[in-house]
Amino acid sequence: QRYLRAGVRTYLVSATRFETFDRRPPDMRDRTIVFYDPRELTAVEVEQGGKRFVVQPAGDRRWALVEPRGYGLDAQGMSFSATAMTKMRAAEVRDGVDRAAAGVDHPDALVLTFQRIEAQPVTVRIAPQRDGLYRVRRDDRDRTYVIRETQVRSLTRGFGLEF
């Protein structure tokens, strides 16, 4: 049993019900980083650690490697990673974190540029892991996102990137 004070009144509440009130409010901010139908895109550029790949949609959940030509990537793994890039959602949203603190301009950051049909490109930067977290920024938003390691692995594995 616990006591709960509301204004001038005090109530006796069971501990189980008290826990209902003893929580952070739900985060109602949109955690979507990008969400594109591949048919909206002309290409996705993937850059990290001096490596650069350009892929284009080539049908239902399939992607074609445009640059570099003849690079030996597993087509199925690359398509999986490229599809994962088009639908990125954050675990957390953090306002008030500047670019330097987020680490997204680090030379080893993963940079994804989405070339869209008849629209400005959108660039997403993922900082190397720090404190167990991956911080993400879109160049067109003043917001920092946090994604999990499993999500980063699904984005990089198909391109053979170690991040």
Side-chain angles (χ1 to χ4, degrees):
Q1 303 274 2
R2 292 202 175 168
Y3 291 97
L4 175 67
R5 183 175 299 228
V8 294
R9 293 183 178 233
T10 302
Y11 301 93
L12 184 61
V13 180
S14 74
T16 307
R17 292 199 178 158
F18 184 79
E19 291 171 3
T20 303
F21 299 104
D22 193 27
R23 294 184 183 166
R24 288 178 29 190
D27 189 352
M28 302 304 282
R29 294 175 291 182
D30 184 11
R31 293 181 290 152
T32 303
I33 302 168
V34 294
F35 190 88
Y36 296 122
D37 182 325
R39 294 173 293 199
E40 298 174 43
L41 302 171
T42 58
V44 177
E45 297 175 27
V46 181
E47 299 177 67
Q48 195 265 330
K51 294 182 181 176
R52 181 175 179 271
F53 302 95
V54 178
V55 294
Q56 290 180 328
D60 186 41
R61 295 184 182 201
R62 292 183 310 120
W63 294 75
L65 181 65
V66 178
E67 290 180 34
R69 294 204 184 279
Y71 199 84
L73 292 179
D74 171 51
Q76 186 175 6
M78 180 197 60
S79 291
F80 175 82
S81 289
T83 300
M85 289 175 186
T86 63
K87 294 166 181 45
M88 293 175 56
R89 188 165 163 80
E92 296 177 40
V93 178
R94 296 186 178 175
D95 291 319
V97 179
D98 66 11
R99 293 177 68 88
V104 295
D105 293 322
H106 190 279
D108 289 331
L110 177 64
V111 180
L112 310 173
T113 304
F114 297 88
Q115 303 291 340
R116 301 179 300 157
I117 298 171
E118 297 182 19
Q120 292 292 326
V122 171
T123 300
V124 174
R125 299 172 191 275
I126 304 172
Q129 186 179 32
R130 192 175 74 227
D131 305 327
L133 303 172
Y134 288 91
R135 290 162 181 87
V136 181
R137 295 276 300 223
R138 272 182 62 154
D139 284 357
D140 61 340
R141 294 183 185 164
D142 189 29
R143 176 171 280 173
T144 299
Y145 302 94
V146 175
I147 60 175
R148 292 184 169 82
E149 183 175 6
T150 53
Q151 190 172 5
V152 171
R153 273 192 256 129
S154 70
L155 300 173
T156 58
R157 183 179 299 142
F159 293 96
L161 300 173
E162 296 295 326
F163 190 58

